[in-house]
Amino acid sequence: GDSVTQTEGQVTVSESKSLIINCTYSATSIGYPNLFWYVRYPGEGLQLLLKVITAGQKGSSRGFEATYNKEATSFHLQKASVQESDSAVYYCALRPGSWQLIFGSGTQLTVMP
Amino acid sequence: ETAVFQTPNYHVTQVGNEVSFNCKQTLGHDTMYWYKQDSKKLLKIMFSYNNKQLIVNETVPRRFSPQSSDKAHLNLRIKSVEPEDSAVYLCASSWGNQDTQYFGPGTRLLVL
């Protein structure tokens, strides 16, 4: 079936350092699923960070970037210089052409001052 | 700015009771969803609903049922709660089922 894997449950990074949160996916029901990153800041609801619907394209928002890599079936989230306010839980998700979103298990990012 | 509202924030109940959670969206969307986030933080779809079609995830027990009065509201009823129903329930909405989904803050249920 379709699935999303985030291998890191928790990531700690010092402020101004670079970040990468890994996401790989398996989409057996469709060749080109839509890919998303959602974020939940402390005390807030889940919100869309960025999305990419075309393989090979890059999405960006708030300094974060993710590239839809069809060959590697990956959609890693990157940021060149993190801030303390980026501390949150990040979820990778795919929509395999149907009605539902399939989420990864989430990665808790803690940015140390 | 919150546009998907959920009540209550938190609910504690005992096994066998009936509970109902409310969700309202002010985005003018025509499709709403319920997700369950379990103790391992895994988020899984339960239902998708618009005024034409209800889609149910086949893994959802029959004691769960969505209830809608209009396209801006989708409540979730659990007829007789079980301990494994303890979770956070997230409501979401979108325009059609292919557009970006917007989430509410969630309702945390604890079943004793």
Side-chain angles (χ1 to χ4, degrees):
Chain A
D2 303 314
S3 65
V4 177
T5 301
Q6 292 179 244
T7 53
E8 306 110 338
Q10 295 193 40
V11 172
T12 300
V13 181
S14 297
E15 198 165 27
S16 79
K17 298 297 185 184
S18 64
L19 167 74
I20 181 166
I21 298 178
N22 294 312
C23 172
T24 56
Y25 67 89
S26 171
T28 58
S29 62
I30 188 172
Y32 298 91
N34 298 164
L35 299 176
F36 305 79
W37 278 100
Y38 276 81
V39 58
R40 173 174 257 178
Y41 296 103
E44 298 184 18
L46 198 62
Q47 55 186 279
L48 179 69
L49 178 62
L50 57 87
K51 69 176 181 181
V52 180
I53 62 174
T54 304
Q57 297 294 310
K58 179 192 293 184
S60 60
S61 174
R62 305 179 208 175
F64 289 89
E65 294 182 339
T67 300
Y68 189 153
N69 187 326
K70 184 176 75 69
E71 289 73 28
T73 62
S74 68
F75 192 55
H76 305 319
L77 184 68
Q78 301 184 70
K79 189 171 186 181
S81 176
V82 296
Q83 303 170 332
E84 204 171 341
S85 57
D86 293 326
S87 295
V89 182
Y90 292 82
Y91 293 91
C92 184
L94 71 83
R95 185 169 57 212
S98 66
W99 55 287
Q100 60 177 305
L101 283 173
I102 297 171
F103 285 88
S105 54
T107 298
Q108 169 73 59
L109 171 65
T110 302
V111 179
M112 306 296 291
Chain B
E1 181 183 348
T2 303
V4 181
F5 302 89
Q6 291 185 241
T7 57
N9 295 327
Y10 186 63
H11 187 76
V12 182
T13 190
Q14 294 185 329
V15 172
N17 285 350
E18 177 175 315
V19 299
S20 186
F21 303 144
N22 300 315
C23 179
K24 170 187 172 182
Q25 55 92 6
T26 58
L27 295 165
H29 290 158
D30 64 353
T31 304
M32 296 183 73
Y33 311 81
W34 278 101
Y35 287 81
K36 178 182 180 181
Q37 185 171 35
D38 62 20
S39 58
K40 297 181 181 177
K41 305 296 184 184
L42 294 173
L43 259 168
K44 291 189 177 177
I45 187 74
M46 301 178 73
F47 305 100
S48 166
Y49 184 79
N50 64 21
N51 58 4
K52 299 175 184 176
Q53 189 179 21
L54 170 65
I55 303 177
V56 181
N57 186 324
E58 60 192 15
T59 66
V60 174
R62 290 192 173 187
R63 61 181 179 276
F64 289 84
S65 60
Q67 299 175 318
S68 178
S69 55
D70 55 57
K71 69 176 186 178
H73 297 82
L74 185 68
N75 299 334
L76 178 66
R77 186 180 80 155
I78 313 174
K79 214 170 185 180
S80 176
V81 296
E82 300 283 343
E84 61 264 30
D85 299 338
S86 295
V88 176
Y89 293 87
L90 294 175
C91 177
S93 71
S94 67
W95 185 252
N97 62 8
Q98 294 294 304
D99 198 9
T100 299
Q101 295 182 21
Y102 292 82
F103 285 81
T107 293
R108 182 177 295 276
L109 172 65
L110 178 61
V111 181
L112 301 175

